[in-house]
Amino acid sequence: MLDKNYDPKEIEARRYPEWESAGAFRADPGSAKPPYCIVIPPPNVTGSLHMGHALDNTLQDVLIRWRRMKGDDALWQPGTDHAGIATQMVVVRNLEQEGIGLAVEGAGKTDANKKLLTREEFLEKVWEWKAFSGGTITGQLRRLGASCDWSRERFTMDEGLSKAVLKVFVDLYKAGLIYKDLRLVNWDPKMLTAISDLEVESREVKGSLWYFKYPIEGASDEFIVVATTRPETMLGDTGIAVHPDDPKWKHLIGKHAVLPLVGRRIRIVADEYSDPEKGSGAVKITPAHDFNDFEVGRRHDLEAINIFDKFACVNDSAPEKYRGLDRFDARKKIVAEMEELGLVEKIEPHTHAVPYGDRGGVPVEPYLTEQWYADAKKLAQGPIEAARDGRVKFVPERGRDEFFRWMENIQPWCVSRQLWWGHQIPAWYGPDKKVFVELTEEEANAAALKHYGKEVALERDPDVLDTWFSSALWPFSTLGWPDKTPELAKYYPTSVLVTGWDILFFWVARMMMMGMHFVKEVPFRTVYLHGLVTDEKGQKMSKSKGNVIDPLELIDKYGADALRFTMTSLAASQAGRLRLAPARVEGSRNFATKLWNATRYAEMNGAALPKGFDPAGAKLTVNKWMLGELARANATIDRALADFRLNEASSALYEFIWGIVCDWYVELTKPILQGADGPDKDETRAVTAFVLRETVKLLHPVMPFITEELWDKLGHRAEHGALIGQPWPLPAALDPAADAEMGWLVKLISEIRSARAELNVPAGAKLKMLVVGGDGTTAKRLGTHRAAIERLARIDGIEAAPAAPKGALQIVVGEATYALPVTDVIDLKAEGARLQKEIKKLADEVGKIDAKLGNAAFVSRAPEEVVEEQRERRNQADQTRARLSTALERLGA
RNA sequence: GGGCGCGUAGCUCAGCGGUAGAGCACUGUCUUGACAUGGCAGGGGUCACAGGUUCAAUCCCUGUCGCGCCCA
């Protein structure tokens, strides 16, 4: 006998290891089953599970478990990401607590006695950290119920994947698709590395717009006014741009200004980049520290003077008094000095977007350095075509437009990072800086020998690759590429990629590039994109806001199934954010309890499946109807999952299990199960058991734990093995006659209940029911369902009568009127009002439909079925209205 | 500035050409031999606003206003 309450904790802890050790998550490339593969978006190896993971992985697991049951050879490829910058940051922070730093340039500046780690020593520490915390996230995914094939777990820095990374780099280099270039990058002065455009987030900052007067050369009292949000960059100004048609400044084009504080002579150029409407209309040009200025500078051959070092402190290119100042201190000093010189025209408050490094959290500095770039434009061509011709689909479809928008305007991808943790770039430099890009040091040496004609000492490039570089290979590197493995042959292209909108560009786009280039095929057939989980107010969850909801806490409190069900229900939202109200998780937990208790009820009533039971042979209407509803639910759920409408699947499950099985089927069949033994009871016990058995299958992808447990408790495990490996139920045929009859029954019972409640008839009072005007079909139905009606509507005795007695409660269903005489006098006024309300509602409906049908355009233009349906509805409503009117008259009689 | 999404019950959200729905909250009632993490019944909505298309618009189109995201 089942306990009264479902205890997720105990069951989850037991079931998961059972599945895993039985190999239930294992894919089998040797099997003849069709492949279905999802590669997990690899979480940071040292991270922990947050709500976004809970959502993303629930959706993946629902799909994987469903396809596994549908008969596919399902592979959910798991693994973790080394997360270069994020992990390095964490380890550095940990080391700082112990007073240890990194032996990088400038590290001893503040504390000469600080212990400094070499690159090798530091990497050892990172690997230690990985070993220590690396199992956290995968353990948490297990708690969620994720059915990944853990026997195939990979890590972006394991041997095989590192091999793939090197090969990709070398091949792309040799194909001219990776190159070294000197250009502006987004420099993070805190992390001391270049970062890609995508790692920059702009924040609205309240700052100022300074209007500086630059004297015109040879005209002591003439000035050109430039407006800037970054006064400190003036140390690097090498020009001024004005719009060619700007009447205010046009006359100065070609002349020179003298840069205050520095004394440099700078040219005034005409360029459409400057907007006469903005600021002063003249723009100071700092090619080395602004992306737009860089372009302007290139157009007009202006010098790019780098005025900062890598810490964003002023360097030796600036006048001595500014050297060594931090960029913000330099700003203060420069503004103060300009003011002293009377060269500040005005200062306006100004809100503008400032680029911040998403990891370091400080403003990034456009910085002129040599970095490695991938030719994203060329690599994007294959993906663009694949998205255009439908080889890859997006759900929702607008993902495709977003994808194009990005891919068609793509910039060179800066792939080098000045970090230690990551894949070190396989490039070696000779004494003359000649670069040799090879898979190994030996090959580089060989190439150098060939080039120089003698052995020379090579120095390896210290930089590592952007983390997203290895992530971009994930769909094929995890399957064994560059080796020709059976996995690669069978599972690539993978079936679907499930991820958030936020990494469409970071990751999805780059996987497309690398997959198309190296495997000549899309990495996945469908990209299923979902929103960002926020708190219930729509605020992004963050530690600083203190509004973080921990999925593990929800699992502890309500169970993994409840969290999963909630996540699945949330998945639909077309909005970019999914607001999570914790009350929903509680509701999902209640749903689990409901199913648990329905099963408990079935068990108590001897529900069992006889050997060789054939549901098609059911004879009782209620059972035929129930089986039809099961088939309907199956079809709805199956269709919804196939179309990635996971929320529809979960609401169909909820409605079916709670609304149909528990609210109606169980209640309607109680008189049978609790009545005398016989064929009806046997059949109902069998159908109850059958429906529950199929139900746990349908629910399993969303709520795997409770369903596996119930499957076992219902006794199916002994015979068929674990639920996770069961085939998905085949849909059965519907029985329209049973449907109609049960529809009538449900309506009758509901109407009686409603009338009783409105008239305040005590819930315990049993009333006699007199049937007036029922035809043969109704009489037959009443006979069939007498016990159910008596029980559910609290009726004691059903009889035919020529007319309703005085002072009875009356309802109309179909062609019959049902009178319920109340022992005590009922409140005639209240009953009259109730009937009048019903009559009015129906009369209004009839009126509305009449107006429609009276409209010649409607009758002639609307489809015939629609018109017919309206007529039908009108007549039904009108007949019921007429009967209720009669009932109202009798009431007063 | 450009692009996109969202404004539906008190709250969180489905629905997206022809009867406005769910969960939570709320009201009344019921310890009925599965379940009070429950049953039964009920109240609550000019589907943001204004035009347009259509026989018919919450749904399609245009604009306005609010909110959010992405890209500059």
Side-chain angles (χ1 to χ4, degrees):
Chain A
M1 168 85 141
L2 257 47
D3 292 338
K4 198 169 161 188
N5 280 303
Y6 168 57
D7 175 16
K9 210 165 253 178
E10 184 271 327
I11 288 163
E12 288 168 11
R14 188 153 45 79
R15 290 297 173 190
Y16 196 92
E18 209 173 82
W19 286 323
E20 194 176 353
S21 60
F25 308 151
R26 293 263 181 101
D28 177 11
S31 87
K33 294 175 176 181
Y36 184 85
C37 179
I38 298 179
V39 290
I40 201 170
N44 291 0
V45 64
T46 63
S48 57
L49 199 78
H50 58 60
M51 242 349 133
H53 292 126
L55 171 73
D56 191 51
N57 291 292
T58 296
L59 302 183
Q60 291 174 69
D61 198 41
V62 169
L63 293 171
I64 281 283
R65 285 180 184 266
W66 170 63
R67 290 312 311 180
R68 195 183 279 129
M69 292 176 80
K70 291 287 279 187
D72 288 348
D73 172 26
L75 168 59
W76 188 5
Q77 171 64 52
T80 51
D81 193 288
H82 66 281
I85 196 164
T87 305
Q88 173 153 343
M89 219 167 85
V90 171
V91 176
V92 165
R93 202 185 300 137
N94 289 349
L95 289 171
E96 265 167 14
Q97 307 267 304
E98 303 168 40
I100 302 172
L102 301 192
V104 292
E105 188 194 327
K109 234 170 31 175
T110 46
D111 178 3
N113 297 322
K114 200 168 180 178
K115 184 181 176 195
L116 299 177
L117 299 185
T118 63
R119 183 170 187 144
E120 285 66 34
E121 288 167 335
F122 174 70
L123 288 179
E124 213 170 288
K125 292 280 184 195
V126 185
W127 282 106
E128 274 172 28
W129 170 247
K130 190 230 163 202
F132 169 72
S133 70
T136 304
I137 187 107
T138 53
Q140 290 171 328
L141 283 170
R142 285 175 167 91
R143 294 236 17 224
L144 227 209
S147 62
C148 305
D149 185 348
W150 296 109
S151 70
R152 300 171 181 276
E153 182 181 347
R154 305 303 299 263
F155 174 53
T156 47
M157 279 184 45
D158 68 25
E159 206 189 322
L161 270 64
S162 298
K163 194 173 105 186
V165 166
L166 294 186
K167 179 170 168 52
V168 164
F169 187 92
V170 173
D171 285 2
L172 287 177
Y173 176 80
K174 294 192 170 170
L177 292 169
I178 277 184
Y179 54 91
K180 228 178 165 179
D181 198 7
L182 176 71
R183 45 183 288 159
L184 280 190
V185 292
N186 297 295
W187 182 265
D188 186 324
K190 186 176 173 201
M191 304 307 296
L192 303 179
T193 178
I195 56 180
S196 76
D197 301 346
L198 288 173
E199 290 162 282
V200 175
E201 56 178 35
S202 47
R203 297 188 196 167
E204 287 277 302
V205 170
K206 280 184 189 134
S208 305
L209 192 59
W210 283 272
Y211 288 75
F212 284 170
K213 300 198 287 191
Y214 286 6
I216 300 298
E217 184 188 43
S220 58
D221 55 352
E222 199 180 352
F223 299 95
I224 182 166
V225 180
V226 294
T228 179
T229 57
R230 300 200 54 199
E232 68 278 13
T233 60
M234 72 176 284
L235 300 175
D237 284 0
T238 56
I240 292 170
V242 302
H243 196 277
D245 304 324
D246 187 351
K248 200 164 151 202
W249 304 118
K250 208 171 161 179
H251 63 287
L252 294 174
I253 294 168
K255 296 194 170 170
H256 287 78
V258 178
L259 187 60
L261 310 180
V262 179
R264 185 159 51 238
R265 194 171 165 264
I266 60 177
R267 189 146 50 93
I268 298 167
V269 300
D271 196 291
E272 298 194 346
Y273 163 64
S274 55
D275 179 353
E277 306 298 318
K278 265 189 180 166
S280 63
V283 188
K284 62 192 246 351
I285 300 298
T286 322
H289 296 289
D290 183 284
F291 288 95
N292 289 310
D293 291 8
F294 185 78
E295 295 302 322
V296 176
R298 220 164 48 177
R299 283 199 285 272
H300 301 280
D301 200 24
L302 302 175
E303 195 187 350
I305 302 176
N306 189 352
I307 56 155
F308 293 126
D309 63 16
K310 67 179 182 179
F311 304 98
C313 293
V314 179
N315 70 13
D316 293 352
S317 304
E320 199 166 347
K321 59 181 170 178
Y322 305 111
R323 291 179 194 166
L325 285 180
D326 168 83
R327 53 188 162 160
F328 300 110
D329 295 334
R331 175 181 301 180
K332 281 183 207 143
K333 191 174 169 75
I334 284 166
V335 170
E337 292 186 359
M338 288 294 279
E339 271 179 332
E340 249 168 65
L341 292 171
L343 294 175
V344 177
E345 189 186 74
K346 60 177 172 177
I347 303 172
E348 284 177 352
H350 184 65
T351 302
H352 59 124
V354 175
Y356 276 74
D358 66 358
R359 293 294 171 182
V362 300
V364 297
E365 192 59 52
Y367 194 53
L368 198 56
T369 57
E370 243 194 355
Q371 302 285 344
W372 290 95
Y373 290 89
D375 188 339
K377 207 170 184 67
K378 281 204 183 117
L379 289 169
Q381 293 318 306
I384 288 172
E385 280 163 32
R388 188 161 284 140
D389 67 24
R391 269 175 289 163
V392 60
K393 292 187 177 54
F394 291 86
V395 177
E397 270 184 59
R398 71 189 150 88
R400 190 159 159 263
D401 301 330
E402 293 267 321
F403 181 77
F404 283 140
R405 190 166 57 76
W406 171 254
M407 289 301 245
E408 284 167 355
N409 298 297
I410 202 157
Q411 298 298 308
W413 171 18
C414 174
V415 296
S416 46
R417 296 290 180 275
Q418 287 64 54
L419 300 171
W420 284 351
W421 176 240
H423 299 100
Q424 194 172 352
I425 290 175
W428 285 263
Y429 301 98
D432 57 352
K433 296 292 164 202
K434 159 92 187 154
V435 64
F436 301 93
V437 173
E438 298 294 344
L439 285 173
T440 62
E441 189 164 7
E442 290 71 49
E443 288 173 48
N445 278 325
L449 178 64
K450 203 171 150 199
H451 175 76
Y452 295 109
K454 60 173 182 180
E455 284 200 15
V456 298
L458 296 181
E459 198 179 334
R460 184 163 185 182
D461 193 310
D463 290 357
V464 299
L465 287 165
D466 179 6
T467 298
W468 296 100
F469 193 90
S470 50
S471 311
L473 320 182
W474 191 249
F476 53 90
S477 64
T478 52
L479 296 177
W481 188 92
D483 298 336
K484 288 193 168 57
T485 61
E487 285 80 0
L488 194 62
K490 181 162 188 183
Y491 304 111
Y492 193 98
T494 66
S495 309
V496 53
L497 181 85
V498 183
T499 193
W501 286 99
D502 52 331
I503 54 174
L504 179 61
F505 306 142
F506 270 104
W507 193 44
V508 179
R510 286 159 178 176
M511 284 190 285
M512 288 282 289
M513 294 182 195
M514 295 302 196
M516 294 299 292
H517 189 266
F518 285 96
V519 200
K520 311 293 176 215
E521 243 305 8
V522 291
F524 21 73
R525 307 227 181 260
T526 299
V527 179
Y528 174 36
L529 296 160
H530 59 248
L532 188 81
V533 186
T534 68
D535 72 5
E536 52 192 319
K537 290 181 202 127
Q539 302 258 326
K540 218 168 173 170
M541 292 185 190
S542 76
K543 275 184 199 156
S544 54
K545 278 189 211 139
N547 63 345
V548 175
I549 302 173
D550 181 352
L552 275 308
E553 278 176 26
L554 290 175
I555 291 175
D556 286 339
K557 197 162 171 199
Y558 300 113
D561 286 335
L563 178 62
R564 292 170 60 107
F565 190 84
T566 308
M567 292 290 119
T568 308
S569 311
L570 228 54
S573 182
Q574 289 301 298
R577 56 189 176 171
L578 312 174
R579 302 185 209 216
L580 176 68
R584 281 191 84 149
V585 188
E586 193 181 338
S588 304
R589 186 274 315 265
N590 296 352
F591 175 53
T593 308
K594 188 76 182 175
L595 173 66
W596 182 264
N597 278 291
T599 311
R600 181 166 177 264
Y601 159 83
E603 193 182 38
M604 288 166 68
N605 284 279
L609 211 48
K611 268 234 171 332
F613 171 72
D614 178 14
K619 294 197 170 50
L620 297 184
T621 310
V622 67
N623 287 331
K624 287 196 272 194
W625 163 79
M626 181 67 251
L627 293 162
E629 290 290 342
L630 174 68
R632 218 193 301 265
N634 183 349
T636 305
I637 294 157
D638 205 45
R639 187 73 246 159
L641 291 175
D643 293 345
F644 298 101
R645 288 174 286 128
L646 273 62
N647 66 306
E648 250 173 62
S650 74
S651 62
L653 283 160
Y654 191 94
E655 175 51 30
F656 173 70
I657 292 172
W658 202 314
I660 303 283
V661 177
C662 294
D663 288 349
W664 288 106
Y665 182 69
V666 163
E667 296 303 329
L668 288 168
T669 53
K670 271 180 182 171
I672 304 173
L673 292 182
Q674 291 165 12
D677 287 351
D680 285 1
K681 190 174 192 171
D682 291 344
E683 179 185 298
T684 303
R685 278 175 162 169
V687 171
T688 300
F690 178 79
V691 167
L692 277 174
R693 189 188 78 181
E694 302 302 281
T695 298
V696 296
K697 288 185 196 164
L698 297 178
L699 182 60
H700 183 259
V702 182
M703 301 182 106
F705 291 108
I706 189 173
T707 50
E708 187 69 70
E709 180 72 10
L710 291 175
W711 172 261
D712 191 356
K713 293 277 203 240
L714 287 166
H716 303 304
R717 183 188 167 89
E719 194 180 341
H720 301 102
L723 175 59
I724 188 175
Q726 298 305 308
W728 190 256
L730 294 168
L734 299 176
D735 182 332
D739 253 18
E741 185 166 336
M742 296 307 291
W744 165 87
L745 179 61
V746 164
K747 179 138 203 283
L748 175 63
I749 293 168
S750 303
E751 293 280 347
I752 298 171
R753 282 169 165 176
S754 181
R756 288 178 58 124
E758 273 186 60
L759 269 285
N760 292 315
V761 176
K766 295 205 164 184
L767 307 180
K768 175 174 276 189
M769 183 162 88
L770 301 170
V771 185
V772 183
D775 63 12
T777 305
T778 297
K780 190 159 173 272
R781 286 172 170 179
L782 287 168
T784 308
H785 303 291
R786 166 185 288 269
I789 295 166
E790 290 192 328
R791 182 186 174 98
L792 300 191
R794 308 239 116 202
I795 297 294
D796 185 16
I798 300 175
E799 291 168 20
K806 209 180 155 188
L809 206 159
Q810 297 170 82
I811 62 149
V812 173
V813 174
E815 85 297 345
T817 300
Y818 302 83
L820 314 182
V822 185
T823 0
D824 300 323
V825 191
I826 64 161
D827 184 344
L828 287 177
K829 256 190 179 160
E831 171 64 355
R834 185 186 72 85
L835 289 172
Q836 257 158 0
K837 202 175 103 191
E838 297 260 305
I839 290 165
K840 183 175 185 307
K841 212 171 104 189
L842 289 163
D844 284 354
E845 197 186 341
V846 171
K848 237 165 87 182
I849 301 176
D850 276 344
K852 225 182 216 183
L853 291 168
N855 179 354
F858 171 70
V859 180
S860 63
R861 300 224 185 167
E864 187 51 38
E865 317 87 79
V866 174
V867 177
E868 196 41 52
E869 190 203 330
Q870 294 291 320
R871 287 204 179 102
E872 180 59 26
R873 266 179 50 203
R874 187 223 171 263
N875 292 341
Q876 288 285 340
D878 197 45
Q879 280 170 28
T880 306
R881 184 200 54 76
R883 293 196 177 99
L884 285 169
S885 297
T886 309
L888 182 62
E889 280 164 28
R890 274 198 210 115
L891 184 72

